[in-house]
Every structure is written in C-alpha cells, then in structure tokens.
Amino acid sequence: QVQLVESGGGLVQAGGSLRLSCAASGSIFSINAMGWYRQAPGKQRELVAAITSGGSTNYADSVKGRFTISRDNAKNTVYLQMNSLKPEDTAVYYCNAVVITNGPEVRLDAWGQGTLVTVSS
C-alpha cells in the first residue's frame, strides 16, 4: 500500500503565503508525476500544479506566477509554495502521486486525505 500525508494548510489573510507538503510512503518502487489538486465548495476538483520526476512543471492559469511546485525525490515529497494568496484560492488541497509499487510492479494513482486552505479577505 501507499500513503500520502499532507501538511501545511490553514487560515491566512489575503496576500499571505502558505507552504504545503506531501510525503509518500509505503511499497514504492518509483514515483512518476506528483501534483496538487484543489476542490472548493460546490466546485469540481481541479489541477493546481504538477511536476514530473525530471522536474518539468505545469500550472493552472489561475496560479501561475504565485504558486511554485517542487519535489524532493530522495524523500518522496512534493511541496507547493503559495504566495499572494487570494480568497478564491480557498479550497481543500489534495496531493496526488503516480506510483509504481514494489513487487508486483503496479501503477497506482494515490491520493492524500486533503488539507484545508482558507484565505480571508
């Protein structure tokens, strides 16, 4: 099994910053892409940012220039630095990882439990 544990959410004023972390553990052979998604009340889950094992990144247009995704492959951890936060960034943020498991080698789409980010105006 594979577990993703997120941390770093909370309440922040508009214009502030937060850093989310997500650590993967368990029967991991390798991790391909890792990413962050978010879901606001009444809305569908959307991709915020993603990063490949080689470090290539992509971002939702709404967060470009404000959020930065990074990862530490040695620690199986992905980060999301969020700056200049806006009230519309308020959502539950979910970590995602495309994992190749140990014996047998199976491709697994793993999700964290979610962490709430609230941005007050």
Side-chain angles (χ1 to χ4, degrees):
Q1 294 296 325
V2 175
Q3 299 81 38
L4 300 184
V5 178
E6 300 140 339
S7 61
L11 173 64
V12 64
Q13 288 188 333
S17 298
L18 283 174
R19 188 190 194 211
L20 305 183
S21 299
C22 171
S25 62
S27 300
I28 299 171
F29 175 73
S30 64
I31 301 178
N32 296 338
M34 301 185 82
W36 291 94
Y37 290 72
R38 67 186 181 187
Q39 188 166 19
K43 295 188 177 181
Q44 290 188 329
R45 190 174 297 190
E46 62 175 358
L47 174 68
V48 176
I51 184 168
T52 68
S53 57
S56 297
T57 59
N58 68 288
Y59 296 91
D61 288 343
S62 59
V63 307
K64 283 181 181 177
R66 300 187 298 122
F67 291 10
T68 302
I69 189 170
S70 60
R71 64 190 281 177
D72 184 333
N73 291 330
K75 295 181 179 180
N76 290 335
T77 299
V78 64
Y79 306 96
L80 185 68
Q81 178 66 43
M82 305 185 292
N83 298 328
S84 302
L85 282 160
K86 303 176 181 180
E88 51 263 44
D89 294 317
T90 295
V92 177
Y93 284 69
Y94 296 91
C95 174
N96 171 260
V98 179
V99 176
I100 306 299
T101 62
N102 275 321
E105 291 185 10
V106 175
R107 182 185 183 278
L108 177 67
D109 201 14
W111 290 90
Q113 79 285 357
T115 185
L116 178 63
V117 171
T118 304
V119 184
S120 63
S121 57

